[in-house]
Amino acid sequence: MSIAAHRRRVPALRAAQRGHDRASSGHAAAPPPVAGALADALLTTDWRPAAMLSAVRAVAGPRTPWARRLVAATLHAYPRAPRDRPRELRQFLINRGLAREASILRRIVGPTRVVRMRWGAPALGDLAELAAFLGLDGEALDWFADRREINRHATDERLRHYRYVWKPHRLIEAPKPRMRDLQRRVLKEILAAVPVHDRVHGFVPGRGVHTFARAHTGAEVLVSLDLRAFFSSITAARIYGLFRGIGYPEPVAHALTALTTTRTPARVLRAAPDPHLAALLRQPHLPQGAPTSPALANLCAFRLDRRLSALAERFGITYGRYADDLAFSGSLSRSRVDRLVTLTGRIAAEEGFHVHPGKTRVRRQSQRQELTGLVVNSRPAVPREEYDRLRAILHNAATHGLDEANRDGLVDFAAHLAGRVAWMSHRHPARATKLHALLARALA
C-alpha cells in the first residue's frame, strides 16, 4: 500500500489509537466528541485567526457565538500550532470550557506532524508513516497494536501476540515471530539512537556484567540491592512519555507504546505467585521477554540512575546498575550503609520502582563480594567452585566423550561448553589457558 493510501486511513487509525489510550489509562468516560473534532480541524489550518475561525464554524456551524473566543484563547495558549499534540489541544479546549456541546456538521482531519525530533531517531509524523516504516498496512498496525485487547481476552492461542511461561518469581512474555520482528525494528532504528545513563551496564553495547563488576572491584564495602518486578513496574504511561520525549506525535507515540507493552491475560494471571505481581501484570506494562523491554526500561530509569549517581557522590562512593541490580561500593560505616539503603529505597519509590526488601546485601572485604555471578574482591572472576565444576565436566568429556558428559541432555553440548569456557576465561589468562586446552581435548 502506498503512503497516500496510508494517509487516507489516518482518521480511522487515529480514532482507534485514542480508544486504545482511554482503555490503557482506565478512564471510562469519553470526552465531548466536538472537542476532538474542533482540535483536528484547527490543526489543518495555517494557524491564523481567519482560517481557524472558518474551521471552527465548518465543524460546529456558522452560527457559533463562542467561536471567536475559542480561537483567541487557543492562539494565546499556543502561539505555534501543536501539530504533534492533537489530544493535548483537545483536552485544553475541554479544560477551558471552550468545547461546547454542539452538533458536528463536518469533520476535517489532517495528519499529525513531527515538530522536533531528538537524538536522530527517524521522523514519523503520523500513523501512515509509522505503518510504512514497519512494513505494515493500516489494518495490520491496528492488529499488532491490539486496540481491541484480543491478546488479553482470546482463549485461542493463535490470536495472541505473546507466549507465556511462569518462572519461580517472574513471568516470561515472549512475543511471537512477527511481533518480535516489529519490536526489533523499533529497537534497532529508534531506541538505539537514544543515549542511556553512563552508570548503566545491562543491555548496552560495549558494556556488560564484567564492566559492571569491574567498577566495584576491591572496595572496602559492597552494597547490592534488587529492584522488585523491574519490567512489569514500568507502565504504558511512562513508555508513552518516553516516545513523546523522543519527539513523536501523540498518535505515533500511542501506537509505539501499544506495540511495546501488553496486558497479561486473566487466565495466565491465575498462576501468579503473589497478588502484587498479578496487579502489575494486569495493567499495561513492559513484557519481560520482548526485545524492546530492556532498552525501554533503561531509558525509563534514567532519572533513577541520575538521582542514585548523585546520592553516591554525596557519600563519596561508586554507583552502577545492571538491569534490576543496583550496586554501591566504597568506604562506608555501618550507620552510613543504613542511611544509604534507606535513601535508595525512598528514591526508587519516588521514581516508580521498589527495592526488594529481602535481597539487600552488605559485604565487606573480609567476605566474598559477588555481583551478577562474579566475585569482585580482587578482580571480576567466576567463583572458584564453578570453575572447578567446569574443569571436571571438560575432563569427563575428554575421557568418556561428549554424550557421557552431557548429563542434562543439552541439544548442542559442544557449543554450551564453548560458551562457558569463554565466560570463565574473560580477562583471566591463567584460567583461559587451562580451560581451552581441556575444551580442545573434549572436542577432539
Side-chain angles (χ1 to χ4, degrees), residues 181-217:
D181 290 344
L182 296 176
Q183 292 173 341
R184 283 177 175 167
R185 182 75 186 274
V186 172
L187 173 64
K188 180 180 178 181
E189 302 292 335
I190 296 176
L191 301 179
V194 187
V196 300
H197 197 279
D198 59 7
R199 300 298 177 90
V200 178
H201 296 267
F203 314 106
V204 179
R207 308 178 203 172
V209 292
H210 285 88
T211 60
F212 177 54
R214 195 179 308 132
H216 303 281
T217 298

PDB file of all heavy atoms in Angstrom, residues 181-217:
ATOM      1  N   ASP A 181       9.707  -9.343  15.398  1.00  0.00           N
ATOM      2  CA  ASP A 181      10.393  -8.644  14.312  1.00  0.00           C
ATOM      3  C   ASP A 181      10.074  -7.148  14.322  1.00  0.00           C
ATOM      4  O   ASP A 181      10.958  -6.303  14.090  1.00  0.00           O
ATOM      5  CB  ASP A 181      10.014  -9.253  12.964  1.00  0.00           C
ATOM      6  CG  ASP A 181      10.593 -10.644  12.773  1.00  0.00           C
ATOM      7  OD1 ASP A 181      11.524 -11.009  13.523  1.00  0.00           O
ATOM      8  OD2 ASP A 181      10.102 -11.373  11.891  1.00  0.00           O
ATOM      9  N   LEU A 182       8.809  -6.803  14.575  1.00  0.00           N
ATOM     10  CA  LEU A 182       8.435  -5.383  14.656  1.00  0.00           C
ATOM     11  C   LEU A 182       9.157  -4.701  15.813  1.00  0.00           C
ATOM     12  O   LEU A 182       9.649  -3.578  15.682  1.00  0.00           O
ATOM     13  CB  LEU A 182       6.924  -5.245  14.825  1.00  0.00           C
ATOM     14  CG  LEU A 182       6.043  -5.737  13.675  1.00  0.00           C
ATOM     15  CD1 LEU A 182       4.579  -5.610  14.049  1.00  0.00           C
ATOM     16  CD2 LEU A 182       6.338  -4.956  12.391  1.00  0.00           C
ATOM     17  N   GLN A 183       9.209  -5.377  16.941  1.00  0.00           N
ATOM     18  CA  GLN A 183       9.871  -4.796  18.108  1.00  0.00           C
ATOM     19  C   GLN A 183      11.372  -4.634  17.877  1.00  0.00           C
ATOM     20  O   GLN A 183      11.972  -3.647  18.310  1.00  0.00           O
ATOM     21  CB  GLN A 183       9.590  -5.661  19.340  1.00  0.00           C
ATOM     22  CG  GLN A 183       8.138  -5.611  19.778  1.00  0.00           C
ATOM     23  CD  GLN A 183       7.821  -6.603  20.884  1.00  0.00           C
ATOM     24  OE1 GLN A 183       8.567  -7.561  21.103  1.00  0.00           O
ATOM     25  NE2 GLN A 183       6.708  -6.402  21.566  1.00  0.00           N
ATOM     26  N   ARG A 184      11.972  -5.601  17.183  1.00  0.00           N
ATOM     27  CA  ARG A 184      13.397  -5.469  16.878  1.00  0.00           C
ATOM     28  C   ARG A 184      13.663  -4.273  15.968  1.00  0.00           C
ATOM     29  O   ARG A 184      14.690  -3.602  16.104  1.00  0.00           O
ATOM     30  CB  ARG A 184      13.901  -6.760  16.226  1.00  0.00           C
ATOM     31  CG  ARG A 184      14.120  -7.889  17.223  1.00  0.00           C
ATOM     32  CD  ARG A 184      14.540  -9.169  16.534  1.00  0.00           C
ATOM     33  NE  ARG A 184      14.869 -10.206  17.497  1.00  0.00           N
ATOM     34  CZ  ARG A 184      15.037 -11.486  17.200  1.00  0.00           C
ATOM     35  NH1 ARG A 184      14.899 -11.887  15.926  1.00  0.00           N
ATOM     36  NH2 ARG A 184      15.341 -12.367  18.132  1.00  0.00           N
ATOM     37  N   ARG A 185      12.736  -3.998  15.072  1.00  0.00           N
ATOM     38  CA  ARG A 185      12.882  -2.821  14.211  1.00  0.00           C
ATOM     39  C   ARG A 185      12.825  -1.549  15.053  1.00  0.00           C
ATOM     40  O   ARG A 185      13.614  -0.612  14.849  1.00  0.00           O
ATOM     41  CB  ARG A 185      11.775  -2.822  13.151  1.00  0.00           C
ATOM     42  CG  ARG A 185      11.854  -1.662  12.168  1.00  0.00           C
ATOM     43  CD  ARG A 185      12.962  -1.877  11.159  1.00  0.00           C
ATOM     44  NE  ARG A 185      13.162  -0.735  10.291  1.00  0.00           N
ATOM     45  CZ  ARG A 185      12.482  -0.505   9.169  1.00  0.00           C
ATOM     46  NH1 ARG A 185      11.536  -1.359   8.774  1.00  0.00           N
ATOM     47  NH2 ARG A 185      12.750   0.538   8.421  1.00  0.00           N
ATOM     48  N   VAL A 186      11.893  -1.492  15.976  1.00  0.00           N
ATOM     49  CA  VAL A 186      11.791  -0.334  16.864  1.00  0.00           C
ATOM     50  C   VAL A 186      13.062  -0.196  17.694  1.00  0.00           C
ATOM     51  O   VAL A 186      13.595   0.914  17.881  1.00  0.00           O
ATOM     52  CB  VAL A 186      10.554  -0.466  17.780  1.00  0.00           C
ATOM     53  CG1 VAL A 186      10.547   0.627  18.848  1.00  0.00           C
ATOM     54  CG2 VAL A 186       9.273  -0.406  16.956  1.00  0.00           C
ATOM     55  N   LEU A 187      13.577  -1.319  18.190  1.00  0.00           N
ATOM     56  CA  LEU A 187      14.795  -1.292  18.990  1.00  0.00           C
ATOM     57  C   LEU A 187      15.981  -0.783  18.179  1.00  0.00           C
ATOM     58  O   LEU A 187      16.717   0.121  18.616  1.00  0.00           O
ATOM     59  CB  LEU A 187      15.092  -2.699  19.514  1.00  0.00           C
ATOM     60  CG  LEU A 187      16.431  -2.896  20.236  1.00  0.00           C
ATOM     61  CD1 LEU A 187      16.477  -2.070  21.503  1.00  0.00           C
ATOM     62  CD2 LEU A 187      16.658  -4.375  20.551  1.00  0.00           C
ATOM     63  N   LYS A 188      16.157  -1.332  16.996  1.00  0.00           N
ATOM     64  CA  LYS A 188      17.335  -1.015  16.183  1.00  0.00           C
ATOM     65  C   LYS A 188      17.294   0.395  15.615  1.00  0.00           C
ATOM     66  O   LYS A 188      18.311   1.102  15.611  1.00  0.00           O
ATOM     67  CB  LYS A 188      17.453  -2.034  15.050  1.00  0.00           C
ATOM     68  CG  LYS A 188      18.651  -1.812  14.139  1.00  0.00           C
ATOM     69  CD  LYS A 188      18.703  -2.857  13.041  1.00  0.00           C
ATOM     70  CE  LYS A 188      19.883  -2.616  12.102  1.00  0.00           C
ATOM     71  NZ  LYS A 188      19.926  -3.628  11.004  1.00  0.00           N
ATOM     72  N   GLU A 189      16.133   0.821  15.141  1.00  0.00           N
ATOM     73  CA  GLU A 189      16.041   2.089  14.419  1.00  0.00           C
ATOM     74  C   GLU A 189      15.684   3.279  15.303  1.00  0.00           C
ATOM     75  O   GLU A 189      16.018   4.421  14.980  1.00  0.00           O
ATOM     76  CB  GLU A 189      15.003   1.974  13.295  1.00  0.00           C
ATOM     77  CG  GLU A 189      15.283   0.864  12.291  1.00  0.00           C
ATOM     78  CD  GLU A 189      16.518   1.129  11.458  1.00  0.00           C
ATOM     79  OE1 GLU A 189      16.886   2.309  11.305  1.00  0.00           O
ATOM     80  OE2 GLU A 189      17.114   0.156  10.972  1.00  0.00           O
ATOM     81  N   ILE A 190      14.987   3.023  16.411  1.00  0.00           N
ATOM     82  CA  ILE A 190      14.524   4.133  17.245  1.00  0.00           C
ATOM     83  C   ILE A 190      15.235   4.167  18.587  1.00  0.00           C
ATOM     84  O   ILE A 190      15.922   5.132  18.926  1.00  0.00           O
ATOM     85  CB  ILE A 190      12.988   4.049  17.454  1.00  0.00           C
ATOM     86  CG1 ILE A 190      12.266   4.223  16.118  1.00  0.00           C
ATOM     87  CG2 ILE A 190      12.530   5.109  18.455  1.00  0.00           C
ATOM     88  CD1 ILE A 190      10.750   4.061  16.211  1.00  0.00           C
ATOM     89  N   LEU A 191      15.109   3.105  19.361  1.00  0.00           N
ATOM     90  CA  LEU A 191      15.626   3.133  20.732  1.00  0.00           C
ATOM     91  C   LEU A 191      17.143   3.177  20.790  1.00  0.00           C
ATOM     92  O   LEU A 191      17.713   3.782  21.706  1.00  0.00           O
ATOM     93  CB  LEU A 191      15.104   1.913  21.504  1.00  0.00           C
ATOM     94  CG  LEU A 191      13.580   1.808  21.605  1.00  0.00           C
ATOM     95  CD1 LEU A 191      13.184   0.563  22.373  1.00  0.00           C
ATOM     96  CD2 LEU A 191      13.000   3.055  22.259  1.00  0.00           C
ATOM     97  N   ALA A 192      17.803   2.547  19.813  1.00  0.00           N
ATOM     98  CA  ALA A 192      19.270   2.545  19.816  1.00  0.00           C
ATOM     99  C   ALA A 192      19.848   3.940  19.643  1.00  0.00           C
ATOM    100  O   ALA A 192      21.017   4.179  19.979  1.00  0.00           O
ATOM    101  CB  ALA A 192      19.792   1.619  18.724  1.00  0.00           C
ATOM    102  N   ALA A 193      19.052   4.869  19.137  1.00  0.00           N
ATOM    103  CA  ALA A 193      19.537   6.233  18.932  1.00  0.00           C
ATOM    104  C   ALA A 193      19.514   7.066  20.206  1.00  0.00           C
ATOM    105  O   ALA A 193      20.141   8.135  20.256  1.00  0.00           O
ATOM    106  CB  ALA A 193      18.687   6.928  17.858  1.00  0.00           C
ATOM    107  N   VAL A 194      18.830   6.587  21.243  1.00  0.00           N
ATOM    108  CA  VAL A 194      18.654   7.373  22.467  1.00  0.00           C
ATOM    109  C   VAL A 194      19.716   6.964  23.487  1.00  0.00           C
ATOM    110  O   VAL A 194      19.840   5.782  23.815  1.00  0.00           O
ATOM    111  CB  VAL A 194      17.251   7.171  23.057  1.00  0.00           C
ATOM    112  CG1 VAL A 194      17.017   8.110  24.229  1.00  0.00           C
ATOM    113  CG2 VAL A 194      16.189   7.393  21.982  1.00  0.00           C
ATOM    114  N   PRO A 195      20.492   7.901  24.019  1.00  0.00           N
ATOM    115  CA  PRO A 195      21.560   7.536  24.966  1.00  0.00           C
ATOM    116  C   PRO A 195      21.012   7.132  26.325  1.00  0.00           C
ATOM    117  O   PRO A 195      19.976   7.631  26.768  1.00  0.00           O
ATOM    118  CB  PRO A 195      22.388   8.824  25.069  1.00  0.00           C
ATOM    119  CG  PRO A 195      21.413   9.920  24.740  1.00  0.00           C
ATOM    120  CD  PRO A 195      20.469   9.351  23.725  1.00  0.00           C
ATOM    121  N   VAL A 196      21.723   6.201  26.981  1.00  0.00           N
ATOM    122  CA  VAL A 196      21.374   5.784  28.332  1.00  0.00           C
ATOM    123  C   VAL A 196      22.372   6.398  29.307  1.00  0.00           C
ATOM    124  O   VAL A 196      23.406   6.943  28.909  1.00  0.00           O
ATOM    125  CB  VAL A 196      21.372   4.251  28.469  1.00  0.00           C
ATOM    126  CG1 VAL A 196      20.364   3.626  27.524  1.00  0.00           C
ATOM    127  CG2 VAL A 196      22.767   3.677  28.212  1.00  0.00           C
ATOM    128  N   HIS A 197      22.086   6.292  30.583  1.00  0.00           N
ATOM    129  CA  HIS A 197      22.975   6.837  31.612  1.00  0.00           C
ATOM    130  C   HIS A 197      24.292   6.070  31.604  1.00  0.00           C
ATOM    131  O   HIS A 197      24.332   4.863  31.360  1.00  0.00           O
ATOM    132  CB  HIS A 197      22.302   6.732  32.983  1.00  0.00           C
ATOM    133  CG  HIS A 197      22.921   7.606  34.014  1.00  0.00           C
ATOM    134  ND1 HIS A 197      24.062   7.267  34.705  1.00  0.00           N
ATOM    135  CD2 HIS A 197      22.565   8.839  34.475  1.00  0.00           C
ATOM    136  CE1 HIS A 197      24.383   8.228  35.553  1.00  0.00           C
ATOM    137  NE2 HIS A 197      23.486   9.198  35.426  1.00  0.00           N
ATOM    138  N   ASP A 198      25.398   6.785  31.887  1.00  0.00           N
ATOM    139  CA  ASP A 198      26.705   6.143  31.792  1.00  0.00           C
ATOM    140  C   ASP A 198      26.991   5.160  32.925  1.00  0.00           C
ATOM    141  O   ASP A 198      27.990   4.440  32.880  1.00  0.00           O
ATOM    142  CB  ASP A 198      27.826   7.191  31.714  1.00  0.00           C
ATOM    143  CG  ASP A 198      27.846   8.123  32.918  1.00  0.00           C
ATOM    144  OD1 ASP A 198      27.091   7.884  33.874  1.00  0.00           O
ATOM    145  OD2 ASP A 198      28.637   9.088  32.897  1.00  0.00           O
ATOM    146  N   ARG A 199      26.122   5.084  33.934  1.00  0.00           N
ATOM    147  CA  ARG A 199      26.309   4.110  35.013  1.00  0.00           C
ATOM    148  C   ARG A 199      25.497   2.830  34.780  1.00  0.00           C
ATOM    149  O   ARG A 199      25.450   1.976  35.655  1.00  0.00           O
ATOM    150  CB  ARG A 199      25.920   4.735  36.356  1.00  0.00           C
ATOM    151  CG  ARG A 199      26.729   5.961  36.732  1.00  0.00           C
ATOM    152  CD  ARG A 199      28.209   5.642  36.897  1.00  0.00           C
ATOM    153  NE  ARG A 199      28.980   6.839  37.187  1.00  0.00           N
ATOM    154  CZ  ARG A 199      29.222   7.296  38.404  1.00  0.00           C
ATOM    155  NH1 ARG A 199      28.729   6.663  39.462  1.00  0.00           N
ATOM    156  NH2 ARG A 199      29.953   8.375  38.573  1.00  0.00           N
ATOM    157  N   VAL A 200      24.870   2.731  33.625  1.00  0.00           N
ATOM    158  CA  VAL A 200      24.070   1.550  33.292  1.00  0.00           C
ATOM    159  C   VAL A 200      24.919   0.590  32.470  1.00  0.00           C
ATOM    160  O   VAL A 200      25.551   1.003  31.492  1.00  0.00           O
ATOM    161  CB  VAL A 200      22.805   1.950  32.504  1.00  0.00           C
ATOM    162  CG1 VAL A 200      22.011   0.714  32.112  1.00  0.00           C
ATOM    163  CG2 VAL A 200      21.961   2.888  33.336  1.00  0.00           C
ATOM    164  N   HIS A 201      24.922  -0.681  32.835  1.00  0.00           N
ATOM    165  CA  HIS A 201      25.762  -1.671  32.159  1.00  0.00           C
ATOM    166  C   HIS A 201      24.961  -2.784  31.493  1.00  0.00           C
ATOM    167  O   HIS A 201      25.494  -3.485  30.635  1.00  0.00           O
ATOM    168  CB  HIS A 201      26.746  -2.283  33.160  1.00  0.00           C
ATOM    169  CG  HIS A 201      27.723  -1.297  33.722  1.00  0.00           C
ATOM    170  ND1 HIS A 201      28.961  -1.075  33.183  1.00  0.00           N
ATOM    171  CD2 HIS A 201      27.615  -0.446  34.772  1.00  0.00           C
ATOM    172  CE1 HIS A 201      29.591  -0.143  33.878  1.00  0.00           C
ATOM    173  NE2 HIS A 201      28.799   0.257  34.852  1.00  0.00           N
ATOM    174  N   GLY A 202      23.727  -2.977  31.872  1.00  0.00           N
ATOM    175  CA  GLY A 202      22.935  -4.061  31.307  1.00  0.00           C
ATOM    176  C   GLY A 202      22.299  -3.700  29.985  1.00  0.00           C
ATOM    177  O   GLY A 202      21.677  -2.638  29.864  1.00  0.00           O
ATOM    178  N   PHE A 203      22.450  -4.564  28.972  1.00  0.00           N
ATOM    179  CA  PHE A 203      21.797  -4.403  27.667  1.00  0.00           C
ATOM    180  C   PHE A 203      22.241  -3.123  26.954  1.00  0.00           C
ATOM    181  O   PHE A 203      21.457  -2.473  26.271  1.00  0.00           O
ATOM    182  CB  PHE A 203      20.270  -4.415  27.821  1.00  0.00           C
ATOM    183  CG  PHE A 203      19.765  -5.518  28.700  1.00  0.00           C
ATOM    184  CD1 PHE A 203      19.311  -5.258  29.982  1.00  0.00           C
ATOM    185  CD2 PHE A 203      19.753  -6.828  28.245  1.00  0.00           C
ATOM    186  CE1 PHE A 203      18.856  -6.283  30.799  1.00  0.00           C
ATOM    187  CE2 PHE A 203      19.306  -7.856  29.057  1.00  0.00           C
ATOM    188  CZ  PHE A 203      18.855  -7.586  30.341  1.00  0.00           C
ATOM    189  N   VAL A 204      23.507  -2.782  27.128  1.00  0.00           N
ATOM    190  CA  VAL A 204      24.088  -1.610  26.478  1.00  0.00           C
ATOM    191  C   VAL A 204      25.295  -2.070  25.668  1.00  0.00           C
ATOM    192  O   VAL A 204      26.178  -2.733  26.219  1.00  0.00           O
ATOM    193  CB  VAL A 204      24.523  -0.554  27.512  1.00  0.00           C
ATOM    194  CG1 VAL A 204      25.146   0.655  26.818  1.00  0.00           C
ATOM    195  CG2 VAL A 204      23.347  -0.125  28.378  1.00  0.00           C
ATOM    196  N   PRO A 205      25.353  -1.773  24.369  1.00  0.00           N
ATOM    197  CA  PRO A 205      26.507  -2.194  23.561  1.00  0.00           C
ATOM    198  C   PRO A 205      27.827  -1.730  24.164  1.00  0.00           C
ATOM    199  O   PRO A 205      27.966  -0.571  24.562  1.00  0.00           O
ATOM    200  CB  PRO A 205      26.246  -1.531  22.201  1.00  0.00           C
ATOM    201  CG  PRO A 205      24.761  -1.356  22.148  1.00  0.00           C
ATOM    202  CD  PRO A 205      24.343  -1.059  23.567  1.00  0.00           C
ATOM    203  N   GLY A 206      28.791  -2.650  24.244  1.00  0.00           N
ATOM    204  CA  GLY A 206      30.094  -2.316  24.793  1.00  0.00           C
ATOM    205  C   GLY A 206      30.181  -2.430  26.297  1.00  0.00           C
ATOM    206  O   GLY A 206      31.266  -2.265  26.877  1.00  0.00           O
ATOM    207  N   ARG A 207      29.059  -2.692  26.962  1.00  0.00           N
ATOM    208  CA  ARG A 207      29.056  -2.864  28.415  1.00  0.00           C
ATOM    209  C   ARG A 207      28.417  -4.212  28.753  1.00  0.00           C
ATOM    210  O   ARG A 207      27.779  -4.830  27.911  1.00  0.00           O
ATOM    211  CB  ARG A 207      28.283  -1.737  29.112  1.00  0.00           C
ATOM    212  CG  ARG A 207      28.730  -0.342  28.714  1.00  0.00           C
ATOM    213  CD  ARG A 207      27.893   0.721  29.418  1.00  0.00           C
ATOM    214  NE  ARG A 207      27.916   1.981  28.683  1.00  0.00           N
ATOM    215  CZ  ARG A 207      27.154   3.028  28.974  1.00  0.00           C
ATOM    216  NH1 ARG A 207      26.318   2.969  30.003  1.00  0.00           N
ATOM    217  NH2 ARG A 207      27.228   4.125  28.255  1.00  0.00           N
ATOM    218  N   GLY A 208      28.593  -4.648  29.973  1.00  0.00           N
ATOM    219  CA  GLY A 208      28.027  -5.937  30.367  1.00  0.00           C
ATOM    220  C   GLY A 208      28.338  -6.236  31.814  1.00  0.00           C
ATOM    221  O   GLY A 208      28.719  -5.351  32.592  1.00  0.00           O
ATOM    222  N   VAL A 209      28.206  -7.506  32.197  1.00  0.00           N
ATOM    223  CA  VAL A 209      28.399  -7.885  33.597  1.00  0.00           C
ATOM    224  C   VAL A 209      29.834  -7.605  34.052  1.00  0.00           C
ATOM    225  O   VAL A 209      30.067  -7.262  35.215  1.00  0.00           O
ATOM    226  CB  VAL A 209      28.033  -9.360  33.818  1.00  0.00           C
ATOM    227  CG1 VAL A 209      26.550  -9.576  33.643  1.00  0.00           C
ATOM    228  CG2 VAL A 209      28.808 -10.275  32.872  1.00  0.00           C
ATOM    229  N   HIS A 210      30.808  -7.745  33.146  1.00  0.00           N
ATOM    230  CA  HIS A 210      32.191  -7.528  33.548  1.00  0.00           C
ATOM    231  C   HIS A 210      32.482  -6.051  33.788  1.00  0.00           C
ATOM    232  O   HIS A 210      33.194  -5.699  34.737  1.00  0.00           O
ATOM    233  CB  HIS A 210      33.149  -8.104  32.503  1.00  0.00           C
ATOM    234  CG  HIS A 210      33.240  -9.598  32.538  1.00  0.00           C
ATOM    235  ND1 HIS A 210      32.380 -10.405  31.810  1.00  0.00           N
ATOM    236  CD2 HIS A 210      34.053 -10.437  33.230  1.00  0.00           C
ATOM    237  CE1 HIS A 210      32.688 -11.672  32.040  1.00  0.00           C
ATOM    238  NE2 HIS A 210      33.692 -11.721  32.899  1.00  0.00           N
ATOM    239  N   THR A 211      31.960  -5.167  32.954  1.00  0.00           N
ATOM    240  CA  THR A 211      32.170  -3.737  33.203  1.00  0.00           C
ATOM    241  C   THR A 211      31.428  -3.296  34.461  1.00  0.00           C
ATOM    242  O   THR A 211      31.907  -2.435  35.206  1.00  0.00           O
ATOM    243  CB  THR A 211      31.711  -2.887  32.008  1.00  0.00           C
ATOM    244  OG1 THR A 211      30.309  -3.110  31.767  1.00  0.00           O
ATOM    245  CG2 THR A 211      32.491  -3.254  30.750  1.00  0.00           C
ATOM    246  N   PHE A 212      30.278  -3.888  34.700  1.00  0.00           N
ATOM    247  CA  PHE A 212      29.508  -3.597  35.917  1.00  0.00           C
ATOM    248  C   PHE A 212      30.301  -4.025  37.145  1.00  0.00           C
ATOM    249  O   PHE A 212      30.459  -3.254  38.106  1.00  0.00           O
ATOM    250  CB  PHE A 212      28.174  -4.332  35.853  1.00  0.00           C
ATOM    251  CG  PHE A 212      27.309  -4.194  37.070  1.00  0.00           C
ATOM    252  CD1 PHE A 212      26.961  -2.952  37.573  1.00  0.00           C
ATOM    253  CD2 PHE A 212      26.831  -5.324  37.725  1.00  0.00           C
ATOM    254  CE1 PHE A 212      26.152  -2.833  38.698  1.00  0.00           C
ATOM    255  CE2 PHE A 212      26.025  -5.219  38.837  1.00  0.00           C
ATOM    256  CZ  PHE A 212      25.688  -3.972  39.327  1.00  0.00           C
ATOM    257  N   ALA A 213      30.819  -5.243  37.116  1.00  0.00           N
ATOM    258  CA  ALA A 213      31.565  -5.758  38.259  1.00  0.00           C
ATOM    259  C   ALA A 213      32.889  -5.036  38.450  1.00  0.00           C
ATOM    260  O   ALA A 213      33.318  -4.773  39.588  1.00  0.00           O
ATOM    261  CB  ALA A 213      31.796  -7.259  38.079  1.00  0.00           C
ATOM    262  N   ARG A 214      33.559  -4.680  37.342  1.00  0.00           N
ATOM    263  CA  ARG A 214      34.887  -4.061  37.429  1.00  0.00           C
ATOM    264  C   ARG A 214      34.842  -2.736  38.183  1.00  0.00           C
ATOM    265  O   ARG A 214      35.796  -2.376  38.888  1.00  0.00           O
ATOM    266  CB  ARG A 214      35.437  -3.853  36.027  1.00  0.00           C
ATOM    267  CG  ARG A 214      36.947  -3.564  35.977  1.00  0.00           C
ATOM    268  CD  ARG A 214      37.405  -3.388  34.545  1.00  0.00           C
ATOM    269  NE  ARG A 214      36.981  -4.514  33.723  1.00  0.00           N
ATOM    270  CZ  ARG A 214      36.382  -4.407  32.544  1.00  0.00           C
ATOM    271  NH1 ARG A 214      36.139  -3.206  32.039  1.00  0.00           N
ATOM    272  NH2 ARG A 214      36.028  -5.475  31.866  1.00  0.00           N
ATOM    273  N   ALA A 215      33.729  -2.009  38.049  1.00  0.00           N
ATOM    274  CA  ALA A 215      33.619  -0.703  38.715  1.00  0.00           C
ATOM    275  C   ALA A 215      33.573  -0.831  40.229  1.00  0.00           C
ATOM    276  O   ALA A 215      33.794   0.159  40.943  1.00  0.00           O
ATOM    277  CB  ALA A 215      32.378   0.026  38.217  1.00  0.00           C
ATOM    278  N   HIS A 216      33.302  -2.042  40.732  1.00  0.00           N
ATOM    279  CA  HIS A 216      33.157  -2.234  42.182  1.00  0.00           C
ATOM    280  C   HIS A 216      34.204  -3.193  42.745  1.00  0.00           C
ATOM    281  O   HIS A 216      34.044  -3.717  43.843  1.00  0.00           O
ATOM    282  CB  HIS A 216      31.750  -2.748  42.481  1.00  0.00           C
ATOM    283  CG  HIS A 216      30.665  -1.851  41.985  1.00  0.00           C
ATOM    284  ND1 HIS A 216      30.280  -0.709  42.641  1.00  0.00           N
ATOM    285  CD2 HIS A 216      29.917  -1.902  40.857  1.00  0.00           C
ATOM    286  CE1 HIS A 216      29.320  -0.101  41.953  1.00  0.00           C
ATOM    287  NE2 HIS A 216      29.083  -0.803  40.865  1.00  0.00           N
ATOM    288  N   THR A 217      35.272  -3.404  41.997  1.00  0.00           N
ATOM    289  CA  THR A 217      36.303  -4.356  42.409  1.00  0.00           C
ATOM    290  C   THR A 217      37.185  -3.766  43.507  1.00  0.00           C
ATOM    291  O   THR A 217      37.601  -2.614  43.438  1.00  0.00           O
ATOM    292  CB  THR A 217      37.174  -4.745  41.195  1.00  0.00           C
ATOM    293  OG1 THR A 217      36.346  -5.390  40.231  1.00  0.00           O
ATOM    294  CG2 THR A 217      38.290  -5.683  41.613  1.00  0.00           C
TER     295      THR A 217
END
